[in-house]
Structure formats: C-alpha cells, structure tokens
C-alpha cells in the first residue's frame, strides 16, 4: 500500500512538472486567439523586390519618351547618325525626318 501511495505521488509530481504553463506562454496573443485575420495573414511575407524592379523596367521599355523614339530612328539611318554627331540628335531628326509630314 505504501508503494502505491508513493507511485501516485510520484506520478502526480511528474504530471505537474510537465504540464505547467509558464508566464511567457500566457503573454502570447495566440493563446487567446490562435487564428489570424485574413488581412494580416500575409504580413510576414514580403514581395520580391527584384521581380518588382524587372517589371518596372519592362514597363519603361514599352513606354519610351518621344525624343528616345526619334533618337532610335535617327540611329538606324546612317546619314542622320553622322549628322547627329556634329549637330545633335534633335537637329538631325528635324533635318532628315522633320519634313516628312504628309497632308
């Protein structure tokens, strides 16, 4: 009978030692509400900044400035390019392609 009481007290002390909730676990907000809000579910994830930079670069390539299109057109035509070396691309474009307007 004495061994049964000792084993019962020993088992109760082991259960008390292993099932004790510390003060740190009570401070956690997950203890009260373990589920996340849908809006906050992906807060810890951050978008890949490299992917965003590549996307912005592709958008810039599609929407070039007007003078950039003129410069590329002038670079493709050799006499215009030679004229541009002396007088600049704006003057060269105006000289070679400025008069090409059709009515």
């Amino acid at each position: 009978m004495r061994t049964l009481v000792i084993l019962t007290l020993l088992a109760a002390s082991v259960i008390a030692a292993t099932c004790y909730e510390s003060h740190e676990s009570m401070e956690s907000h997950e203890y009260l509400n373990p589920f996340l809000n849908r809006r906050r579910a992906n807060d810890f994830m951050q978008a890949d900044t490299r992917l965003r930079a590549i996307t912005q670069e592709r958008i810039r390539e599609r929407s070039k400035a007007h003078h950039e299109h003129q410069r590329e057109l002038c670079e493709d035509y050799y006499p215009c390019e030679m004229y541009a070396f002396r007088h600049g691309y704006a003057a060269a474009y105006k000289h070679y392609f400025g008069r090409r307007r059709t009515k």
Side-chain angles (χ1 to χ4, degrees), residues 9-95:
L9 289 175
L10 184 63
S13 64
V14 168
I15 289 173
T18 56
C19 296
Y20 172 73
E21 292 236 5
S22 67
H23 181 64
E24 288 84 20
S25 65
M26 298 299 261
E27 289 178 350
S28 175
H29 298 289
E30 293 144 3
Y31 178 76
L32 300 174
N33 188 7
F35 300 105
L36 289 175
N37 185 356
R38 285 184 184 181
R39 293 180 183 162
R40 294 192 61 221
N42 290 327
D43 282 349
F44 63 95
M45 297 290 287
Q46 293 189 2
D48 191 8
T49 54
R50 290 176 293 146
L51 183 62
R52 186 177 297 151
I54 290 170
T55 305
Q56 290 297 325
E57 182 65 28
R58 296 294 175 247
I59 290 171
R60 274 188 238 115
E61 284 178 2
R62 275 188 258 138
S63 58
K64 291 182 180 176
H66 182 66
H67 66 279
E68 207 169 328
H69 285 292
Q70 290 178 352
R71 182 180 178 134
E72 287 178 358
L73 187 63
C74 190
E75 285 176 351
D76 290 339
Y77 186 55
Y78 185 72
C80 182
E81 188 176 15
M82 289 291 112
Y83 192 88
F85 284 141
R86 285 194 164 205
H87 305 286
Y89 280 100
Y93 181 83
K94 186 184 268 187
H95 180 75

